[in-house]
Amino acid sequence: MKLRDIAGSTEHLTCGHRLCTGCAEPIIVRQVLHAAENPVVVANATGCLEVATTIYPYTAWKVPWIHSAFENTAATISGVESAYRALKRKGKIDKKINFIAFAGDGGTYDIGLQSLSGALERGHAFLYVCLDNEAYMNTGIQRSSSTPRGSWTTTTPVGEKLVGKPEYKKDITEIVAAHGIPYVAQTAPSHWMDLMTKVKKALKVEGPTFINVASPCPRGWRSEPEESMRLSRLAVETCYWPLYEIENGVWKINLKPKKKPIEEYLAPQKRFAHLLKPQNKHIVDDLQRRVDERWEVLQWKAEVSQQRSQQKQPPQTPASQT
Amino acid sequence: MALNGAEAIAEAMRQINPDVVASYPITPQTIIVERFSEFVADGLVDTEFVAAESEHSALSASIGAAAAGGRSMTATSSQGFALMWEMLYIAAAMRLPIVMAVANRALSGPINIHCDHSDSMGGRDSGWIQLYSENVQEAYDNTVLAVKIAERQNVRLPVMVCMDGFTTSHAVERVDVLDDDVVKKFVGEYHIDHPLLDVNQPVSYGPLALPEYYFELKMQQIDAMTNAKPVIEQVSRAYGSISGRSYGLVEPYNMEKAERAIVILGSTAGTAKSLLDDLNDPRLGLLKIRAFRPFPAAEIAANLRKCKAVAVLDRAASYGSIGGPVFSEVRAALYDESKRPQIVSYIYGLGGRDTTTDMLKTVYDDLDTIAKTGKPDPVQRFLGLRED
């Protein structure tokens, strides 16, 4: 995959959409669609991407696209994919088509979790891309279960008693991985080659696949629009957002950066401004401790699962399950 | 064939052989998905069966499948219907001809598995066509009819085929089932103009529509529902020519000279017919509403205008209203008549409360009093309510 080839290929999400300046979402969507080779059909959850790209009678999508509601992108694409299988079996369609769902963290970590889990368990062949900007940005920056601890949002304001969100961010990538689907990955638009390679890999799989993408949001992160890709890079370099993939149960870290301190990621974002005050140092320390622990666990998982996959004999399946 | 209502619907679904069936089990709908799963397992249909993790997802998947270009069907009841509620509107707004069987059941709370119409009445304004079935035969016939009505070019709306939970869904009756080929030919091939799977002509389904366009899009749905009325009649006539059973939007029974009439949906119409047969009184009649959406106001007015007193029996309450949902609309339909009958609302059968011919007899007796006094007082009454 060469940058020159990508630059010359067809844009499937055109300019003229109304996403904010500096929003990472259209960048991610374009990277995803550039990586897709077959015709694709896209399903979209309610959210920034949906409302800003399809203001009737206009659409910025040059691929078939469907939005039905907030919490059901995975179920909707399940139906599309099921119809595709039925029509293919009946000989009414012969093209190879890939199915991609886009949803934000609200539509994935929270309200859409059940529909996502159901679709993964049923094994529909589609790629689910979570555009994780860590809050409900479309409704005005309310906390989601993806919002990191300590972050300011409009429902986790910084006050006398509470300093931003008290709880930790939910680890959706791990939760999805626990479904045992063939391919799960985490990536970031700053690392476009990593992202696109993962999309290509995911679309080759016959079954459900999931990619979680860090999606900087200047409005909600209270950061400068031109900083988005740098923030994406810093998320990776601080190991706040490690680049890794789980292929058939084998964990692999795609980039092992020389870990930068978490403050470097927090400082340019005003949603974390209060954390830089001395009285809140313990929250930053806690965030750092958590990043370190998780990075360590991730490395351990990669090592163990790779060793296991290299063993010739797979573990015996208990007789009751055969 | 001897079948219960749920099996009859599953049988119709087998003959229709839809591309996708997505559903979730809920009593008393369950038999439909069970039987259909057996047809899938035995290879009698080549449908993709999506055993969804909830009714919300079942209808969402049906929406995706129909938009993709596949004929799609689902089935539900009660709480499941309520869980689908958000998606009912979206299916209709996208103009997707999904057919859904509803085994009518009371809504929680308190939880109750038996029949009333509070589930589907909750979806009456969602933009779906609603057909109500009196018995197993009608449940079967309506399912076949629904496909054809839903897919008609100038309608393109989802249709729900309602039958009374347990009373019809679980009662075994003798059913005249058409030959597979006849049904296949009647429903024809599924076609929509702009399927998602036509990747050469990409379309966007479900965009954002702001004040400049939203109202006009809603108007198109209103027009489609208006178009549906003659289409239901045309399709029913065509069905009559292959089955010998023809249905209108309403079914008058003993209405030629009736002075007192009961208006009703669903299986209790059968109980009323039995009573009327026994009484053999030309002054007593029954008007069964088969299509509640679109609402056949003109047909209802035409049938009731000569009556002195009319009772509308609702198997759902409308809290804080002056009567049940069917009552309000029937009364509205009569408003423009120069000479209007006296009209009363009865709420009956909630949560599966049995409704007997004796009870219906008391309604006709009440109507006699009302016709004589000219006063429907009180306007809202309750039939079969325990008094202790």
Side-chain angles (χ1 to χ4, degrees), chain B residues 203-370:
Chain B
V203 284
S204 296
Y205 269 85
L208 170 76
L210 293 174
E212 299 95 310
Y213 290 98
Y214 183 87
F215 202 170
E216 284 69 28
L217 295 171
K218 291 287 116 179
M219 192 60 219
Q220 290 178 7
Q221 273 181 259
I222 293 169
D223 288 341
M225 200 53 101
T226 307
N227 297 342
K229 248 178 81 172
V231 168
I232 294 171
E233 289 177 315
Q234 286 157 18
V235 171
S236 299
R237 274 197 296 275
Y239 189 72
S241 69
I242 59 162
S243 68
R245 292 181 298 278
S246 196
Y247 299 105
L249 299 160
V250 296
E251 183 191 332
Y253 195 81
N254 208 40
M255 285 300 291
E256 295 81 10
K257 294 177 186 163
E259 294 170 1
R260 287 172 265 156
I262 285 178
V263 180
I264 211 158
L265 310 178
S267 65
T268 314
T271 315
K273 283 177 185 174
S274 166
L275 172 68
L276 291 175
D277 290 350
D278 289 348
L279 296 176
N280 194 22
D281 185 342
R283 294 169 303 164
L284 308 181
L286 164 76
L287 185 64
K288 182 177 86 180
I289 300 179
R290 279 178 38 78
F292 183 63
R293 281 291 178 275
F295 189 69
E299 290 76 6
I300 288 170
N303 276 284
L304 299 180
R305 62 168 60 108
K306 287 184 198 151
C307 291
K308 287 180 181 160
V310 169
V312 182
L313 271 59
D314 266 284
R315 210 163 182 176
S318 178
Y319 305 96
S321 180
I322 47 168
V326 184
F327 167 77
S328 300
E329 300 206 26
V330 170
R331 194 150 87 152
L334 291 168
Y335 186 83
D336 290 328
E337 296 297 309
S338 54
K339 199 161 163 281
R340 294 192 288 263
Q342 300 295 325
I343 178 164
V344 284
S345 165
Y346 284 84
I347 306 293
Y348 80 102
L350 298 188
R353 175 64 49 85
D354 198 15
T355 307
T356 62
T357 48
D358 287 346
M359 287 179 193
L360 294 179
K361 174 75 170 56
T362 66
V363 175
Y364 283 113
D365 293 345
D366 289 352
L367 287 176
D368 192 32
T369 312
I370 291 166

Side-chain angles (χ1 to χ4, degrees), chain A residues 177-194:
Chain A
H179 287 76
I181 61 169
Y183 188 78
V184 180
Q186 195 166 282
T187 184
S190 49
H191 297 69
W192 60 268
M193 184 65 105
D194 182 80

Side-chain angles (χ1 to χ4, degrees), chain A residues 11-278:
Chain A
E11 285 291 354
H12 297 292
L13 180 73
T14 66
C15 52
H17 61 71
R18 305 181 200 188
L19 286 153
C20 303
T21 316
C23 173
E25 289 189 350
I27 301 170
I28 296 164
V29 171
R30 287 170 59 224
Q31 288 177 356
V32 169
L33 295 179
H34 275 306
E37 286 161 26
N38 294 313
V40 295
V41 173
V42 166
N44 204 165
T46 310
C48 300
L49 180 66
E50 171 260 328
V51 298
T53 56
T54 61
I55 304 178
Y56 187 85
Y58 306 107
T59 179
W61 296 86
K62 286 185 153 185
V63 292
W65 179 94
I66 184 169
H67 154 256
S68 64
F70 191 8
E71 68 280 46
N72 63 350
T73 326
T76 306
I77 201 81
S78 295
V80 176
E81 189 259 359
S82 298
Y84 169 69
R85 273 193 285 169
L87 295 176
K88 215 166 182 191
R89 192 168 53 239
K90 291 176 180 177
K92 292 183 180 175
I93 195 162
D94 54 3
K95 274 199 174 72
K96 167 82 184 154
I97 299 176
N98 280 325
F99 299 93
I100 303 177
F102 289 106
D105 48 292
T108 305
Y109 288 66
D110 293 344
I111 197 168
L113 182 59
Q114 174 185 312
S115 141
L116 172 61
S117 178
L120 298 177
E121 184 270 334
R122 291 191 300 271
H124 297 279
F126 69 101
L127 163 61
Y128 189 102
V129 178
C130 174
L131 304 164
D132 187 358
N133 57 24
E134 304 192 321
Y136 289 84
M137 301 311 185
N138 192 42
T139 42
I141 323 163
Q142 295 84 19
R143 64 92 87 181
S144 78
S145 60
S146 168
T147 302
R149 178 172 157 83
S151 175
W152 164 90
T153 70
T154 56
T155 51
T156 54
V158 178
E160 291 294 318
K161 291 213 165 181
L162 289 177
V163 186
K165 189 191 178 198
E167 302 87 8
Y168 291 109
K169 179 184 171 88
K170 186 194 273 183
D171 194 336
I172 198 75
T173 314
E174 292 258 7
I175 292 167
V176 168
H179 287 76
I181 61 169
Y183 188 78
V184 180
Q186 195 166 282
T187 184
S190 49
H191 297 69
W192 60 268
M193 184 65 105
D194 182 80
L195 189 152
M196 293 178 71
T197 307
K198 285 173 176 167
V199 171
K200 277 190 184 301
K201 237 181 206 184
L203 292 179
K204 285 206 173 74
V205 172
E206 285 295 325
T209 55
F210 177 90
I211 301 182
N212 199 5
V213 191
S215 185
C217 168
R219 284 289 300 136
W221 292 15
R222 297 297 197 230
S223 54
E224 296 305 319
E226 64 274 20
E227 289 279 85
S228 293
M229 287 307 109
R230 191 170 78 90
L231 288 174
S232 166
R233 189 166 293 280
L234 280 168
V236 174
E237 289 172 351
T238 53
C239 293
Y240 173 78
W241 191 269
L243 303 183
Y244 68 97
E245 60 191 341
I246 308 154
E247 215 174 338
N248 298 315
V250 181
W251 299 61
K252 186 181 170 193
I253 299 172
N254 307 102
L255 181 73
K256 289 191 178 175
K258 190 166 175 290
K259 192 162 58 175
K260 290 181 173 171
I262 193 72
E263 283 95 334
E264 287 197 32
Y265 175 63
L266 304 178
Q269 305 179 48
K270 292 197 184 69
R271 63 172 172 157
F272 298 123
H274 52 283
L275 297 183
L276 304 179
K277 292 178 181 163

